[in-house]
Amino acid sequence: MASAAEPKPDFSIKTKWLEASVFLDAKIKADPALAANCLAEGKAWAQKNRADADKERKQDPDLFRNAWSYERKYETRSVVDGRYVSIVRADYEYTGGAHPNSSSDTILWDKSAGKRISIRPFFTETADNGPTLKAMRQGVIASLTAEKKKRGAEDTDASAIEGIESKLLKIGPIALAPSTEEGKSSGLNFYYPPYAVGSYAEGEYVAFVPWETLKPYLTPEGARIFGGARPKEDEDRPH
């Protein structure tokens, strides 16, 4: 029996051979435009997985001895200047393999414009292999290298870290990190799922690049929203 503490999905599909659920956190649900945007995307994702599973089941029913399961959670990481909402979208799927797969992506929502945006407005340039992205990549590599050392995994898969590209669409999902200073962001968090920069057993990695590293590349809007330091609870968050 499900415990009373378990949240109910905001959307779900349940058949004999598949279960897909979408969850929005309370902060997202409190903003109707943002909630509608995330829910529409989540529903489309769940329905696509159902259609794909139906097709697979027709071809090979044996794959469905155990029901396949999909879960997507939208979780607020920070709200900066009361305007920019960073969300981590965590996907989990189990389709009968040796272990479940998980992945993360991020969404940056501009409450004033009522739409998703990228981090481009905060930087003077974001060209592939340009100065900003090179500085971001260096920061990401330094952060991941330190985190691997902490986990005792520094000798594994160094080439995966080196494979991170200094391109906005290839560097990894980005969120505005929370800050000790109210209404500000302390820098950027980059999310890497299991396998992306290490073995499955190492789990997820979150790289943090402090805003000071990126200070030379900030637009006036960027300079306005960044400040303070990364809160301890953001560092200690289970990955």
Side-chain angles (χ1 to χ4, degrees):
M1 195 173 125
S3 84
E6 277 181 29
K8 273 184 153 168
D10 295 282
F11 177 76
S12 65
I13 295 172
K14 194 166 181 155
T15 68
K16 264 192 221 167
W17 54 86
L18 171 133
E19 189 166 356
S21 307
V22 178
F23 297 86
L24 310 180
D25 76 8
K27 278 186 181 169
I28 295 168
K29 283 195 266 202
D31 180 332
L34 175 56
N37 181 282
C38 292
L39 200 54
E41 178 188 68
K43 278 182 181 176
W45 170 84
Q47 284 157 347
K48 183 187 184 302
N49 284 327
R50 181 188 180 163
D52 291 349
D54 285 350
K55 204 169 149 187
E56 288 280 339
R57 199 181 64 89
K58 280 183 187 133
Q59 288 170 353
D60 192 351
D62 285 355
L63 291 173
F64 291 83
R65 285 202 185 102
N66 297 313
W68 286 11
S69 103
Y70 296 88
E71 192 177 276
R72 172 169 280 192
K73 287 184 173 169
Y74 291 84
E75 188 188 349
T76 308
R77 287 307 302 121
S78 67
V79 181
V80 174
D81 193 34
R83 175 177 176 180
Y84 301 113
V85 185
S86 276
I87 293 161
V88 175
R89 190 187 75 196
D91 288 357
Y92 161 99
E93 62 176 62
Y94 179 71
T95 55
H99 48 67
N101 283 324
S102 57
S103 62
S104 296
D105 207 341
T106 54
I107 295 160
L108 182 58
W109 180 260
D110 181 348
K111 288 175 90 148
S112 302
K115 65 176 187 180
R116 297 183 185 199
I117 61 165
S118 79
I119 59 164
R120 291 183 197 277
F122 310 134
F123 297 95
T124 49
E125 64 82 42
T126 49
D128 289 354
N129 302 311
T132 308
L133 266 299
K134 279 185 173 166
M136 272 184 209
R137 180 181 180 272
Q138 277 180 330
V140 164
I141 289 173
S143 176
L144 289 174
T145 304
E147 183 59 30
K148 275 190 171 260
K149 200 169 182 185
K150 221 192 279 181
R151 294 188 198 182
E154 64 266 47
D155 298 326
T156 66
D157 226 354
S159 61
I161 290 185
E162 284 303 318
I164 291 168
E165 295 183 59
S166 45
K167 297 175 180 177
L168 197 54
L169 299 178
K170 296 279 180 118
I171 198 165
I174 304 169
L176 296 175
S179 172
T180 49
E181 203 176 311
E182 184 66 34
K184 301 276 188 187
S185 168
S186 59
L188 301 176
N189 282 340
F190 297 77
Y191 293 81
Y192 301 97
Y195 284 137
V197 290
S199 67
Y200 181 82
E202 286 172 58
E204 183 192 38
Y205 279 94
V206 180
F208 170 70
V209 179
W211 71 274
E212 291 91 343
T213 301
L214 305 170
K215 200 174 174 181
Y217 315 105
L218 296 176
T219 58
E221 181 65 355
R224 195 176 71 76
I225 66 155
F226 285 107
R230 189 187 192 191
K232 189 83 178 80
E233 64 270 20
D234 193 62
E235 265 180 76
D236 294 343
R237 220 168 154 257
H239 304 322

